[in-house]
Amino acid sequence: MEERTTQILGLRVRYLTGGPAETDRPPILFLHGWGAPAETYRVLLDYLSTDSAPGRGDAFRVFAPDLPGFGGSEEPPAPWSVDDYADWAAAFAKELGLDRAILMNHSFGGRISIKLLSRRPVPFSVGQAVFMDAAGIRPHRTLGHRLKVGSYKVMKRVLSLPPVRRMFPDALERLRKQRGSADYRQASPVMRQTMVRCIEEDMTALLPRIDASVLLIWGEADTATPLADGKTMERLIPDAGLVTLPGAGHFAFVERWGQCSRVLDVFLRPDAG
């Protein structure tokens, strides 16, 4: 894979690309998960761009950007929504001349993919898509969790008041470290707000609008995006099939790479689309 940079919507962007420059097959556009830039997926990207499995056909041209705010790409100037990321992904595809693509994603990239594929018109032609442990469905929260979140928000508002901040300047940051998730704690202020805006949106209603043929690959033991989410997507996306990888978690494609690669080979055969 080759590392390149470009400018998209005024932001400097790093992306990986590889594979044959000339091929009749659609290129693959890969959208990564939260906090896991493109380099995280090299085993997958290298395989798709250089290997040619029996029956799968030629290798693909692959494009895998670091989404704004991650890896080698600049942060957005203000907190973004999923729609903002979808606008950016469409602009990235246009800049690189991708009028058609196989759309592949993991985790947070699933949110962006759902937005793109449910738009009318879809920004570029997508006949096939691969969702791996994808996000997009708001999780069911217990009463205890809702009370915990509610109390955190109240405490955050109180500790943000100017008089309180003057008296206890470090209290708000301590609260964030104690109560926030690891992804939230590690993010910058802009990306923290971006994370909140993105995860609060439930995209379940958009799933029936997806026209592409969708392969869903899920870890049986995924706790970040539970298998139930994959089953919901399979039920609501008109042309979708779910493959469950036994015992695997949120990065199921790594934990069960042998099984995952064989499933991809079958789905991506030239005659499968």
Side-chain angles (χ1 to χ4, degrees):
M1 300 294 289
E2 178 184 352
E3 179 180 329
R4 297 182 182 178
T5 59
T6 187
Q7 289 274 333
I8 306 294
L9 300 183
L11 298 175
R12 179 180 54 80
V13 174
R14 172 187 178 270
Y15 67 97
L16 300 178
T17 186
E22 299 294 332
T23 175
D24 292 333
R25 310 200 69 188
I28 290 176
L29 175 58
F30 182 84
L31 303 177
H32 65 72
W34 186 276
E39 188 68 30
T40 310
Y41 302 87
R42 282 297 296 264
V43 63
L44 172 65
L45 303 177
D46 287 343
Y47 180 76
L48 294 169
S49 62
T50 60
D51 292 346
S52 184
R56 191 192 72 191
D58 296 334
F60 293 90
R61 184 70 175 171
V62 176
F63 297 89
D66 286 347
L67 297 171
F70 303 99
S73 296
E74 288 184 302
E75 280 190 2
W80 272 14
S81 66
V82 182
D83 276 304
D84 292 321
Y85 274 104
D87 291 343
W88 180 91
F92 177 84
K94 183 177 181 179
E95 175 68 20
L96 271 64
L98 307 183
D99 57 0
R100 62 172 186 153
I102 296 170
L103 190 57
M104 190 175 294
N105 65 69
H106 175 250
S107 195
F108 177 64
R111 294 182 182 275
I112 304 170
S113 298
I114 292 170
K115 283 286 186 178
L116 288 170
L117 294 174
S118 63
R119 289 183 172 182
R120 297 295 181 269
V122 178
F124 47 90
S125 176
V126 179
Q128 294 175 291
V130 180
F131 285 43
M132 300 188 296
D133 295 279
I137 295 176
R138 180 182 292 171
H140 171 72
R141 302 299 191 187
T142 64
L143 176 59
H145 181 272
R146 292 197 298 270
L147 290 173
K148 182 179 179 180
V149 171
S151 67
Y152 171 74
K153 289 181 177 179
V154 170
M155 293 172 66
K156 182 180 174 182
R157 283 197 296 269
V158 171
L159 294 176
S160 298
L161 294 172
V164 179
R165 295 197 70 169
R166 286 195 295 270
M167 295 175 63
F168 307 101
D170 300 326
L172 183 57
E173 189 60 30
R174 287 202 301 270
L175 176 67
R176 286 172 174 155
K177 290 180 179 180
Q178 293 170 1
R179 302 288 290 274
S181 68
D183 285 337
Y184 185 83
R185 292 194 302 270
Q186 293 167 9
S188 69
V190 166
M191 295 309 293
R192 285 174 179 172
Q193 293 178 63
T194 294
M195 183 180 184
V196 171
R197 292 183 67 178
C198 290
I199 65 176
E200 285 184 348
E201 184 173 1
D202 185 4
M203 301 180 188
T204 305
L206 299 178
L207 297 174
R209 294 173 57 84
I210 296 176
D211 290 333
S213 178
V214 178
L215 169 65
L216 303 161
I217 299 177
W218 233 270
E220 180 186 38
D222 188 348
T223 56
T225 53
L227 180 58
D229 292 0
K231 292 180 178 179
T232 297
M233 290 186 185
E234 182 186 34
R235 176 171 55 85
L236 295 178
I237 297 173
D239 182 9
L242 173 65
V243 174
T244 304
L245 301 182
H250 191 51
F251 283 82
F253 72 95
V254 175
E255 297 176 59
R256 296 289 183 270
W257 172 244
Q259 294 168 276
C260 180
S261 62
R262 289 194 294 272
V263 170
L264 287 171
D265 289 340
V266 172
F267 182 71
L268 296 175
R269 288 179 310 185
D271 58 349

